[in-house]
Amino acid sequence: MDERSGLLLHQLLRAHHNAVSAALGARGLRDIGSPRLLWELSTFPDDPAQAPTQKELADRLHSAPPTIAASLKALERQGYVERRTDQRDTRRNRVAITRKGRDALAQGMDAFLQVDAHLYHGFSPEEREQVRQFHRRMLANLYQIGGDRRQEPLSDPLGPPPEPSPQPFERKCDLC
């Protein structure tokens, strides 16, 4: 297997996603396709006037509005969120988490904490913080070159990409 950092990071993210899905499934929450969207909604007050719009959620989550719309539709169908007409502008809907959504989120947070405990097993508190700092820097770097789906990438912000070091690629099988 190729151990280049980008591929390793992709493998790590995929394994994390699978572990979280398994932990959610073990708690009967397999149908929550967007836990981070529920989490974001939980940060808003229960006041309908202060609930976010779909566009505001897309901006906060660095996601495309159609992606948020599809996720909200599924969460609404399952009873985790509800849409309410904005009292000041009836053309807009505000989105709020329901009691069922808050209960599911509380159980989901247990699943995330369990996965994180395994993810960081053997790491010191200082190492954990260092990893978080590295991830924040990586994320900021990727946002500069188009990693934020809401924005166009800056024109060649980092200059040309570095030349990859020549390494022989070993094929493990005909399918790889």
Side-chain angles (χ1 to χ4, degrees):
M1 166 161 286
D2 190 356
E3 290 279 324
R4 287 186 247 177
S5 63
L7 295 174
L8 186 59
L9 182 59
H10 178 76
Q11 196 175 10
L12 175 68
L13 294 174
R14 179 59 52 224
H16 183 267
H17 174 81
N18 291 342
V20 167
S21 293
L24 289 171
R27 288 165 173 76
L29 300 171
R30 194 172 304 280
D31 63 342
I32 297 180
S34 303
R36 73 182 187 127
L37 184 52
L38 277 184
W39 173 257
E40 189 63 34
L41 284 168
S42 76
T43 65
F44 288 89
D46 282 333
D47 179 9
Q50 295 181 42
T53 64
Q54 283 183 204
K55 175 150 180 17
E56 290 167 345
L57 286 170
D59 289 345
R60 288 176 69 118
L61 294 172
H62 302 276
S63 294
T67 302
I68 296 297
S71 296
L72 286 173
K73 190 176 199 177
L75 290 170
E76 186 176 29
R77 197 172 38 248
Q78 296 154 342
Y80 295 124
V81 303
E82 62 186 10
R83 298 174 209 237
R84 300 176 186 149
T85 303
D86 188 325
Q87 299 298 327
R88 288 172 272 160
D89 183 352
T90 57
R91 296 170 295 173
R92 297 188 331 173
N93 287 319
R94 298 213 169 258
V95 184
I97 189 170
T98 63
R99 171 55 38 209
K100 179 181 178 183
R102 287 191 187 282
D103 292 344
L105 186 60
Q107 290 180 334
M109 287 309 297
D110 288 341
F112 278 100
L113 292 174
Q114 176 190 7
V115 170
D116 276 0
H118 286 281
L119 176 70
Y120 288 109
H121 179 75
F123 285 72
S124 71
E126 295 80 19
E127 289 171 324
R128 289 178 185 215
E129 182 54 33
Q130 187 176 27
V131 168
R132 279 190 286 277
Q133 289 174 6
F134 287 152
H135 287 162
R136 285 185 201 107
R137 280 177 38 203
M138 288 179 207
L139 189 58
N141 290 343
L142 291 175
Y143 281 169
Q144 289 178 2
I145 60 168
D148 184 342
R149 294 184 191 179
R150 301 169 305 145
Q151 301 172 4
E152 291 294 318
L154 300 174
S155 57
D156 206 15
L158 303 176
E163 290 293 321
S165 59
Q167 294 180 356
F169 180 74
E170 178 186 336
R171 290 180 68 153
K172 300 283 184 189
C173 67
D174 290 335
L175 299 175
C176 300

